[in-house]
Each structure stands twice: as C-alpha cells, then as structure tokens.
Amino acid sequence: MAGKGFSWYLNTLTNEPANDILSTLKKKNMKEKEKPKAQPYDPKLVEDKIYKGWLESGHFHGEIKKDKKPYSIVIPPPNVTDILHLGHALNNTIQDILIRKNRMEGYSAEWLPGADHAGIATQVIVEKQLAKEGITRRDLGREKFYERTKTWAYRNKDLILNQLKRIGCSCDWDRTKFTLDESLSKAVAEVFIQLYKKDLIYRGNRIVNWCPSCQTSLSDDEVEYEEKDGHLWYMKYKLQGSDEYLTVATTRPETMLGDTALAVNPKDAKYKKYVGKTVILPILERELPIIADSYVDPEFGTGVVKVTPAHDPNDFEIGKRHDLEEINILNIDGTLNANAGKFKGMDRYEARKQLVKELEKKGHLEKIDKYHLIVGTCYRCHKEIEPYLSVQWFVRMEPLAKPAIEAVKSGELRFHPEYWSKTYLHWMENIRDWCISRQLWWGHRIPVYYCECGETIVSADKPAKCPKCDNGEITQDEDVLDTWFSSWLWPFSTFGWPEKDPLLSYFYPTKVLVTASEIIFLWVARMVMAGYEFMGKIPFNDVYIHGTVRDANGIKMSKSLGNGIDPLEIIDKHGADALRMSLILATPDGQDPWISKNTFEGGRNFVNKLYQVSRFVMMRIGDKQFDYNDISKEKLLPVDRWILSRLERTIESVNGDISDFKLSSAAKNLYGFTWNDYCSWYIELIKPDTPEAEINENSLKVAVFVLDKILKLLHPFVPFVTEEINNNLSEIFPDKETTLVFGPWPPQTSLYRDDELEKSLEVIQNVVNAIRSVRSEMNVPPGKRSDLHIRVKDKEITRLLEEYHEYFRSLAKIEKLIIGEDIKKPPLSASAIISGAELFIPLEGLIDIEAERKRLEKELSNLKNQLENLSKKLANADFIKNAPEEVVDREKTRKADFEERVEKLNSNLEQLLGW
C-alpha cells in the first residue's frame, strides 16, 4: 500500500502549517522541547462523528447472503424502566466485541436490539405518577391507562437504546424490537394457544407467590429471598373435651386464623394417641382435626404443626391429601378479610401484633423465641410476599424441560464458565409449574374469553359468538401474561415467527447469549425450552455468563445503595473506548469486577497511548511512499523479527481467548502487546538517536504493518479510536480499507515465528524492567544515566547481554556497562536479581542519598502505622463476624500488600545505608 503526501495530516497535529513542521523536523540538533507537543486524544471530537458515519453507511445491518455464514446475537432486552448502568455497559460491550470480531471475519453478522415492556415495574411507575395527580388507574379505565403507560414506555425505550449507541454498540437498529410489538404479540398468542391445546397450559386454584404491594402473582423465579431475624411464637391449642393442650410453633401467627387442622408425623410416638382427635382453634374457636402426615418434621418446634392450606404451599399439598377445607384470610392488598373475624380490615402486620396480644391475654401464648428465618420478597418492590390461594394460569414445565436438560448433558448447550451448567441443571431437574398470569393491565392480555354460559374460549382474537350457546355475552380474561412469557420467545419471535420469514431460517439459531447469572432461570432456561418446543432447535449453543459489577468495596452496585457509577458520566469524561476497555480488563473471566471511578483511567491512558504512537508512526512516514505489506525478510533487524513473532503469537492467543469466551484475557494480551511490546519496546528501539535521523525503511514498514494489525485486533474492544486512526492511515495509503467494521481480521500465520528470539529478548526485557524498577524506587531522575554492573553465572545470558547490549543500554539509560562473573557489588548501590544474573546500580551522584533515606524512613513509618491499624482490625472478632466476606478478603489483601511494601522499603533502606 503506497503512501502519499503527508502535509494534510501534519496540519491536524499542531497549529503550525504542515510545511513549517516538516522543515522544523529536519533542523539539525533540534531539542526535545522544540518538537510539536503531543495533544491528548479527545474522544468528544471523534466518537459521535464516527458513529454517525457507521449508521449512515448501514454497516450494522445484517443481510441474508448465501455466500456467507450467519453470525447472530439477540440482545438481552433491557427493561423500559431501566437507565443505563455499568452492568448494561459490560454486557453490551461483551456482545459488541463478539459481533464485531465475527463481522470482521466475514460472517454476515446480525445483532438484533430491542427492549422489554417490564410489566410489573412499568405499571408501578405509572401508577405512582397517577397517585401524585390524585387519581388511580381505575379512574382512568383500562384503555386510557394502557395508552398512557405505552407513551411513557416508548419514550423510555428510545432513551435507553440511544444510550447503548453511545457505548458504540453495533446493533442492527433498523430491526429494533419491543416485546409489545404487533408481530411479537402475535407470537405470544400463538404460543399460548399451542400450549393450551397440548394441555401444557391450564387454569387452577393453587398457592402462588402474591405481592400485596404490586397486587399480582409472581412466579417462583421472581421471588428473591433474604435472611432476617424473626420469632417463633408457641401457641396452645386446647384438646376438645379435655384440659390438655397441644403447642404449635409458627413464624406467621396471623395465619392461624386460616388453620383447618393440626398435623403430626405418623412415626412420632409421643403424639400418636392424638391422631383422630380434635382441637379448638384459639380465638375463632373452630374445631380442627389432628391428622398424621409424613411431611411433618418431628424436630421442628414441638413436632406439631398447624395446617393452613390457603397460605402455605406445603400445607396446600397436605390439605389435598387429607381433603381439608381451604380458608383464605387475606385480601389482595394484604389486609385481612371476613374469614379473620374481629381482625378483618387490619393490615397483616398489625393483625399479627393484635392477635399475639389476644393470645397472650387468653393464655394461649406459651412463649416467644428469637428465630433466624428466610423471607421471600418481590423482585420489583422488595416487599414480603404472601403464599396465597388463587385461581391462576400455569404452564406445565416438566415435559418442556426434558430436551433442555439433555441439551446440557449432551454438550449441545455450553455454559461459560462451565460451572453454571450445574446451577442450570439443578433448577431444571427440580422444576415446578410456571404461574404465568399477572393481575395487571400493562402487558399481553391473556387470549382467553369467557361466555356467560360458562364456556371458555382460547383464541388470539375475540370470537364473534360463543361456539356453545351462540348468543351469550363474551368477556376477555382480565389478567395479562408474565413479562417473561414474551421474553422466552425472543430468539425467534424477533425474526418473524410464527411466519416463515427468511430472516428466521437464516439467522436462527443464534450463536451465543451473553447475560448475567441472576436470570439463568427466569430467561435462559425458558428460552432453551421454547426453542426446542416451537422451533425444534436450540436457540443458541453457547451461554456466556459474566460477573456482577461491584464497587471498590466488593458491594454489588445498586440504585438503592447509591454506590453505582453512571457509564454516561464516564463516557463524557474519558470516552466510550476507555469505558469499554476498562470494564473488560477489570472483569476477570468468570468473576465479579470491583470497579471505582479510577478504574477507567487505565482505559483512558491506553486509548491515548495508542493514539499517540499512531501519530508518531505517521509523522515518521512523512512523504515516503511504500507498501507496508511488502516486507523484505532478509533485511529485517532482530527487533523487527521479534515484534513480528510477538504479533503472530498475540493473534493466536487472542483468537483462542475469544473462542473460549475469555475476553478479559484477550484484552490483557492485546494491552500488553500494544503498550509493552510495540510502544515501549519496538518503537523505542527503532527510534533514531536524533530527531532528524530517519528510521530504517524496513523497520518503518514493519511499524506500520504491525500498527495496522493492532488496530484490527483492538477494533472490537475500542472501535472509535481504532476507526479514527484507520481513517487517517487510509488517507496516507489509498489502497487501505476505509473502515475496520468489515476487517479483515488479521490471519493467523507463522511466517515470522521465532521462539528462540523471543526468549532471548525476554532476557533483555527482564534486565531493563529490573533497572527501571530500581531507578523508580530510588527516585532516580528520569533523564540521568547510570552505570550498570552485572554479575552473571550463565554463559548464555552473558552472550545475550553482549549481543543485545545496545538495546538495553538505550532503554535503561545506561552510561557505563560492566559484565563479568566476579563482579563485586559497588558501595552505595541498589541491586536487583533476575534469573541467572545480579544487577548493581551505583547510586552515588545519581541521587541525594541523605534526602532519599529520610523520604524512605518517613514512608516506612506511615506504612507501619497503617499496617498496625489494619492488623488490629483483622484481629477484631466482631469485624470478622459481621463484615461481608468480600470486605474481609479485601482487608486481608491490603494487609499482605502493606507487608510486602514494608519489606521492600526496608530492603531499599539497607541498600542506601550500605548494609
């Protein structure tokens, strides 16, 4: 690829005219301060411009191409109630890396975006808005409420999807879907009807998880559990016709008002004589039979349990086995109903207080013990849920689960990291029926109609007449479907199902699902079941589970805790590339990242480093014309061969890491190669001693060749800066690609692979790094050159040091070099050890020994104080017991770090004092 005149580009680097810069660069003995000053990379001038260009060019639109293999991903649709947080940023950056890489490899790539209508969460928000206006949804009526909610939801949907664009997501925005779109609603109705016809959907009066705050049922997977301190109340039930009592322990005393029996274990000898007798329910004085059931745990409480079939799922099953009455004592808002007698109208918690007082007053309360219990809460409002007997719609899950279980066992479905497959299988093998009806107005209304004659009609559209009585009034079921009932169809409904859409046959199955662990049950498992049931194929073969974003203290970021970081704030400050690279680097593969605002400085510095090195290389091209792909192997210097070998190894490593879904490892490989190998070593080594001198032409070709490959390898991770640099390079080399969106991805070759050379240069790198570390620790001014004495025992290392001494003398700022087997340590010198050699740097004349000694002693004193305080903290039993585990681990890590630093400072002081 031939270069052209470079005057146009020089104008972008400084305010000086291009020709003046060229002439300035050619002046002999030009001092460092006279060079054009490096301007930091400014993402604000680049990112919006670049993204707009991509959209206008339609680069992200996936096409059906018979000569290309498809690669598709469907976005986990964010809720319309969401605002962009770091979890979204991490999740979508991972997806974007995968889709961009495969697009660059020549696949027809389709990343389909969209949003979820979020039934409960959205309705709660709109109802709160109405409450501020002094009205309720019932005042508006169903149709007007739906339209108002729709207006709010669509506005928010567009807001969060536009926020994803700022991250750089290369989604096919022309195909954006919403779970309430007409086509997706059609799919939802079709699925309901098909499952109903196969008797996999049924309506039943069963115990459900009920949220009195949201006033709707919840599926088992929508209940979150938390530990709390509570009580066990021991209540006495009088045996009928006797002065004897049976004592029962319960954590929910108010539910006794719905008791319909007491139960004991049939093998419990001490209660065997009571089975078949009757007790009197305290306060309500209802007769209750005493039954025997093997479910009863003789070790819990007294061994006698109360049975409340309408308010406990296990009691419900006992009630079915023993034909017990089911008495519901709750209204839908959590207040008590008429079945609760004098407690009617009270809130459940107030009723508990009043009931306990009455039990105590009448002598029916034996004692109260403290008790640690696990409480179910609503995943949306976080209020305690109630087991509640209610008529709801359910999906029979066991038949649907069988192929989805086999998919993991056979290896057709793979989890990354693999251990999540065990979590998936445990849930699937113990699956329960799914309650899919919700007592809401916002969502897909259940496609079921009832005629006044009693007929039930399941239909996508309202029937014109009743098929049974022909003229009865027909009304639709008031409930809507669980939000997840539309989401589980997402991988195929978004491509046109149930219609035979060409997109569906081309892009389904998708390739990978990227998501968080908390929705493996709510979404991932259900999509797998739906894929097999309705498409006959698994919806994706790979599931990549990324970590949960935590703050610097290891606490999960959340809106309620106020410990989150706004990704848009980070983009405004550092740019989207810095956000993306920092998140990937900070997220260990398969683990949770701990993030602070300082985290993003690393990504910012890397992006700036890449930009500045590209400027340097392009400045050195000047008006030269050459094809950077035409590299003469015979003319390569050792350092040229080394960087090309390192490049090939990096390409191989990155390909392997991405294939194995180890994106953090891939990012670290690229970071290390770009910053260390290319910028800090190769560029520094080929850089001439004086500004007016030219870089070896073959080395300059290699520098451009490697830079081109770096840009392509990094493009999925940091798309904006790489595209900007590529645009500038394509102006110099007209035959170069004008965009990196379509690659090509660098091929994996072994033309220059040289393991021995890499090992040799690694020794030199170790020497330089050790010297730089010592100079930094001893506060040696960067511009000062030092002597270096090397004591070696390995002849091979001696050979390498002599062969490549010019490399490390230049990079480590060495004035005088002495190498030998019997070298003695000079007085007042700092030392470092590498494999096979010991390095000594005389410090006299380099630094103010006395001032440095005082500095080190002061730093050592401060560190010892911090270490002492930290040791006391970790020795405190209360801290170890009460602090979160991750906080204790963090403090232990800090202690180990302090100890290591104290040891190092002591060592440095010893060297200064000549000990």
Side-chain angles (χ1 to χ4, degrees):
M1 295 185 179
K4 69 174 186 179
F6 195 55
S7 301
W8 67 271
Y9 187 67
L10 292 175
N11 279 321
T12 70
L13 301 184
T14 73
N15 293 323
E16 298 179 60
N19 289 335
D20 289 348
I21 297 175
L22 283 172
S23 61
T24 302
L25 287 172
K26 291 175 182 175
K27 287 179 182 177
K28 290 187 177 183
N29 302 319
M30 184 175 73
K31 296 178 180 178
E32 192 77 15
K33 64 181 181 180
E34 292 176 303
K35 295 178 185 178
K37 291 182 179 179
Q39 298 296 320
Y41 171 69
D42 188 352
K44 290 186 177 70
L45 303 177
V46 173
E47 293 182 350
D48 287 347
K49 173 193 70 175
I50 293 286
Y51 199 84
K52 183 180 179 183
W54 286 333
L55 292 181
E56 289 175 349
S57 301
H59 287 339
F60 305 154
H61 190 62
E63 298 284 357
I64 298 175
K65 295 183 178 179
K66 294 181 180 179
D67 60 333
K68 287 190 174 187
K69 292 182 179 179
Y71 186 93
S72 57
I73 298 176
V74 289
I75 199 171
N79 290 338
V80 292
T81 56
D82 283 339
I83 56 171
L84 192 70
H85 55 65
L86 282 184
H88 291 125
L90 174 61
N91 177 273
N92 287 283
T93 295
I94 291 169
Q95 291 178 81
D96 200 34
I97 289 169
L98 296 174
I99 205 78
R100 283 183 182 272
K101 195 248 186 183
N102 283 276
R103 190 184 287 122
M104 293 175 74
E105 287 186 308
Y107 288 88
S108 181
E110 171 68 17
W111 184 13
L112 193 146
D116 193 291
H117 66 277
I120 296 175
T122 304
Q123 179 155 324
V124 166
I125 287 173
V126 176
E127 288 203 70
K128 284 180 179 178
Q129 292 175 353
L130 294 178
K132 289 179 181 178
E133 299 169 20
I135 56 175
T136 68
R137 61 180 163 123
R138 301 193 184 280
D139 294 329
L140 279 182
R142 186 165 193 146
E143 188 175 332
K144 287 184 179 180
F145 176 80
Y146 187 91
E147 287 304 314
R148 173 157 176 167
T149 308
K150 182 178 178 180
T151 300
W152 183 91
Y154 271 79
R155 184 176 66 248
N156 264 49
K157 170 180 73 74
D158 293 341
L159 180 64
I160 191 167
L161 294 180
N162 284 329
Q163 289 173 337
L164 292 179
K165 292 177 183 178
R166 290 203 62 193
I167 296 175
C169 295
S170 59
C171 298
D172 185 355
W173 299 108
D174 294 336
R175 293 197 176 106
T176 300
K177 300 296 182 184
F178 184 47
T179 47
L180 285 176
D181 285 348
E182 185 178 347
S183 60
L184 273 68
S185 298
K186 182 178 179 181
V188 167
E190 178 65 24
V191 163
F192 188 99
I193 293 166
Q194 285 191 27
L195 292 177
Y196 182 80
K197 287 179 178 178
K198 295 173 87 170
D199 196 33
L200 292 175
I201 281 184
Y202 65 94
R203 195 179 191 218
N205 190 32
R206 297 185 53 180
I207 291 284
V208 297
N209 305 298
W210 185 266
C211 176
S213 179
C214 298
Q215 295 187 21
T216 183
S217 61
L218 303 170
S219 70
D220 292 339
D221 314 301
E222 291 172 317
V223 178
E224 295 178 345
Y225 293 93
E226 55 186 58
E227 296 184 28
K228 63 179 293 186
D229 292 325
H231 296 89
L232 265 181
W233 285 269
Y234 288 79
M235 304 182 299
K236 300 193 304 186
Y237 291 63
K238 190 173 184 297
L239 278 159
Q240 188 176 41
S242 167
D243 292 331
E244 199 174 351
Y245 289 85
L246 289 182
T247 301
V248 173
T250 181
T251 59
R252 298 158 66 219
E254 69 281 3
T255 60
M256 68 164 286
L257 300 170
D259 287 354
T260 54
L262 294 188
V264 298
N265 190 292
K267 295 180 180 180
D268 193 339
K270 66 180 178 289
Y271 292 119
K272 198 169 185 178
K273 64 181 180 180
Y274 297 109
V275 176
K277 295 185 177 182
T278 304
V279 294
I280 305 300
L281 178 67
I283 301 175
L284 294 185
E285 299 187 352
R286 198 165 56 237
E287 293 185 5
L288 307 180
I290 302 171
I291 60 175
D293 194 280
S294 58
Y295 169 77
V296 179
D297 179 6
E299 302 301 317
F300 177 78
T302 63
V304 184
V305 299
K306 56 194 279 308
V307 183
T308 319
H311 294 288
D312 183 277
N314 299 308
D315 290 6
F316 177 79
E317 298 299 333
I318 293 174
K320 290 297 181 187
R321 288 194 290 271
H322 296 273
D323 196 27
L324 298 177
E325 185 182 3
E326 297 161 348
I327 300 175
N328 186 354
I329 64 164
L330 288 175
N331 295 311
I332 62 173
D333 62 356
T335 59
L336 273 61
N337 62 26
N339 290 328
K342 65 168 70 175
F343 304 99
K344 175 186 175 182
M346 289 186 188
D347 173 77
R348 52 183 167 160
Y349 300 117
E350 180 60 27
R352 176 180 296 177
K353 291 179 185 177
Q354 298 303 322
L355 177 69
V356 169
K357 284 182 181 179
E358 183 122 353
L359 288 171
E360 192 170 22
K361 180 181 175 182
K362 293 191 173 184
H364 289 294
L365 187 65
E366 185 173 289
K367 64 176 180 175
I368 303 174
D369 285 348
K370 289 183 177 179
Y371 189 72
H372 195 68
L373 66 159
I374 296 174
V375 176
T377 61
C378 173
Y379 81 115
R380 279 301 172 194
C381 70
H382 306 295
K383 302 287 177 57
E384 286 186 28
I385 60 101
E386 288 287 342
Y388 185 76
L389 187 64
S390 177
V391 176
Q392 304 287 342
W393 288 93
F394 298 86
V395 178
R396 298 186 203 278
M397 300 300 283
E398 193 173 340
L400 297 174
K402 289 178 181 177
I405 291 171
E406 183 56 32
V408 168
K409 290 184 175 180
S410 69
E412 187 180 11
L413 178 63
R414 299 174 292 273
F415 280 83
H416 309 273
E418 194 276 332
Y419 57 76
W420 286 113
S421 62
K422 296 177 183 177
T423 305
Y424 170 94
L425 285 174
H426 177 75
W427 183 77
M428 292 291 277
E429 290 170 347
N430 295 278
I431 200 164
R432 296 169 64 179
D433 287 357
W434 174 16
C435 175
I436 57 171
S437 47
R438 298 290 179 271
Q439 289 61 54
L440 305 170
W441 285 357
W442 174 243
H444 297 95
R445 197 162 176 182
I446 291 177
V448 174
Y449 298 84
Y450 307 103
C451 178
E452 59 184 346
C453 72
E455 182 71 357
T456 297
I457 309 146
V458 177
S459 171
D461 302 305
K462 184 175 181 177
K465 60 182 180 179
C466 173
K468 182 179 180 181
C469 72
D470 201 43
N471 61 358
E473 184 180 349
I474 295 173
T475 56
Q476 187 173 0
D477 195 301
E478 289 289 318
D479 292 348
V480 301
L481 289 162
D482 179 8
T483 298
W484 298 103
F485 195 86
S486 54
S487 300
W488 76 323
L489 316 177
W490 189 252
F492 52 88
S493 65
T494 50
F495 288 118
W497 189 92
E499 304 301 326
K500 293 183 178 180
D501 194 310
L503 286 174
L504 183 62
S505 57
Y506 186 69
F507 285 121
Y508 186 93
T510 63
K511 294 299 180 184
V512 60
L513 178 76
V514 180
T515 189
S517 61
E518 54 261 32
I519 55 174
I520 289 177
F521 314 136
L522 286 166
W523 194 44
V524 179
R526 288 172 181 165
M527 282 191 289
V528 176
M529 289 185 272
Y532 277 118
E533 177 66 20
F534 302 106
M535 294 296 297
K537 296 178 185 176
I538 198 167
F540 32 73
N541 291 108
D542 292 287
V543 180
Y544 177 59
I545 305 293
H546 59 75
T548 299
V549 180
R550 299 180 179 275
D551 66 16
N553 295 313
I555 309 299
K556 181 180 176 181
M557 287 189 179
S558 71
K559 187 177 179 181
S560 59
L561 292 176
N563 63 340
I565 296 174
D566 182 358
L568 297 180
E569 181 184 326
I570 301 302
I571 293 174
D572 288 338
K573 187 174 182 180
H574 299 307
D577 286 332
L579 172 80
R580 293 164 63 109
M581 193 67 175
S582 300
L583 282 174
I584 297 299
L585 286 171
T587 305
D589 298 311
Q591 299 178 43
D592 295 345
W594 291 23
I595 304 289
S596 70
K597 286 190 176 181
N598 293 338
T599 301
F600 302 98
E601 293 176 5
R604 176 204 63 193
N605 294 342
F606 176 76
V607 170
N608 187 58
K609 185 78 169 179
L610 177 63
Y611 184 70
Q612 298 304 336
V613 79
S614 72
R615 281 167 46 117
F616 171 80
V617 172
M618 287 186 275
M619 287 281 286
R620 284 296 175 171
I621 295 170
D623 286 324
K624 299 179 186 70
Q625 294 188 1
F626 56 83
D627 183 352
Y628 61 79
N629 287 306
D630 181 24
I631 297 171
S632 174
K633 202 169 183 178
E634 295 74 24
K635 296 180 181 179
L636 292 174
L637 300 173
V639 72
D640 296 329
R641 290 188 287 111
W642 171 76
I643 195 64
L644 290 168
S645 180
R646 292 290 302 129
L647 172 65
E648 289 182 339
R649 189 178 300 278
T650 300
I651 292 171
E652 181 181 3
S653 297
V654 170
N655 281 337
D657 285 337
I658 295 178
S659 294
D660 293 338
F661 298 93
K662 296 178 178 177
L663 300 193
S664 183
S665 179
K668 287 171 183 174
N669 273 323
L670 287 172
Y671 183 101
F673 176 74
T674 303
W675 191 301
N676 298 328
D677 294 348
Y678 185 71
C679 298
S680 297
W681 283 87
Y682 181 68
I683 292 299
E684 290 300 318
L685 287 171
I686 67 170
K687 191 185 289 184
D689 293 334
T690 57
E692 71 274 8
E694 298 287 348
I695 292 178
N696 173 289
E697 184 176 332
N698 218 40
S699 293
L700 185 56
K701 285 183 180 180
V702 171
V704 178
F705 176 84
V706 175
L707 177 62
D708 174 63
K709 299 302 178 286
I710 285 173
L711 295 177
K712 288 169 180 172
L713 290 167
L714 279 171
H715 183 68
F717 296 84
V718 284
F720 292 107
V721 69
T722 49
E723 185 83 337
E724 174 71 0
I725 296 169
N726 186 76
N727 288 345
N728 294 334
L729 277 175
S730 67
E731 290 288 341
I732 304 172
F733 302 99
D735 295 336
K736 183 170 176 32
E737 308 87 2
T738 55
T739 180
L740 294 177
V741 170
F742 303 106
W745 184 257
Q748 194 166 307
T749 62
S750 56
L751 296 172
Y752 303 101
R753 184 65 67 87
D754 191 331
D755 294 344
E756 286 304 312
L757 179 61
E758 287 191 45
K759 288 178 183 176
S760 298
L761 266 293
E762 186 179 352
V763 172
I764 306 305
Q765 285 181 306
N766 290 339
V767 171
V768 173
N769 289 336
I771 295 168
R772 286 174 170 174
S773 178
V774 169
R775 289 173 62 96
S776 173
E777 289 169 3
M778 292 300 184
N779 257 3
V780 176
K784 279 195 175 183
R785 288 186 171 272
S786 60
D787 293 345
L788 176 64
H789 300 237
I790 305 179
R791 180 195 296 159
V792 292
K793 294 182 180 180
D794 188 327
K795 289 183 179 179
E796 177 61 19
I797 291 181
T798 302
R799 184 189 69 78
L800 292 174
L801 292 173
E802 289 174 347
E803 182 177 350
Y804 297 109
H805 71 92
E806 287 301 327
Y807 288 166
F808 70 80
R809 284 182 74 146
S810 169
L811 293 175
K813 293 184 171 59
I814 300 303
E815 185 70 39
K816 183 180 178 182
L817 175 64
I818 303 172
I819 304 174
E821 292 183 19
D822 301 317
I823 297 293
K824 292 184 178 180
K825 180 180 179 181
L828 292 177
S829 63
S831 64
I833 297 174
I834 64 166
S835 180
E838 195 167 0
L839 316 177
F840 305 109
I841 300 174
L843 298 173
E844 196 165 8
L846 276 182
I847 61 173
D848 183 330
I849 302 289
E850 183 59 23
E852 182 62 14
R853 179 186 65 79
K854 289 180 179 178
R855 185 187 72 81
L856 290 176
E857 287 176 342
K858 183 178 179 181
E859 187 177 348
L860 182 60
S861 175
N862 289 336
L863 264 179
K864 284 182 174 178
N865 287 335
Q866 291 183 66
L867 181 57
E868 184 181 355
N869 292 334
L870 196 52
S871 298
K872 288 179 180 177
K873 188 176 186 180
L874 288 169
N876 185 326
D878 288 338
F879 171 74
I880 299 296
K881 179 182 177 182
N882 298 321
E885 184 180 351
E886 58 268 21
V887 173
V888 175
D889 289 342
R890 175 176 59 83
E891 296 298 78
K892 287 179 179 178
T893 301
R894 285 182 65 212
K895 181 173 180 284
D897 179 54
F898 283 169
E899 288 170 339
E900 184 180 343
R901 287 165 64 189
V902 166
E903 184 180 349
K904 187 65 179 174
L905 285 174
N906 277 323
S907 174
N908 290 345
L909 267 173
E910 288 174 8
Q911 295 185 89
L912 274 183
L913 297 171
W915 294 345

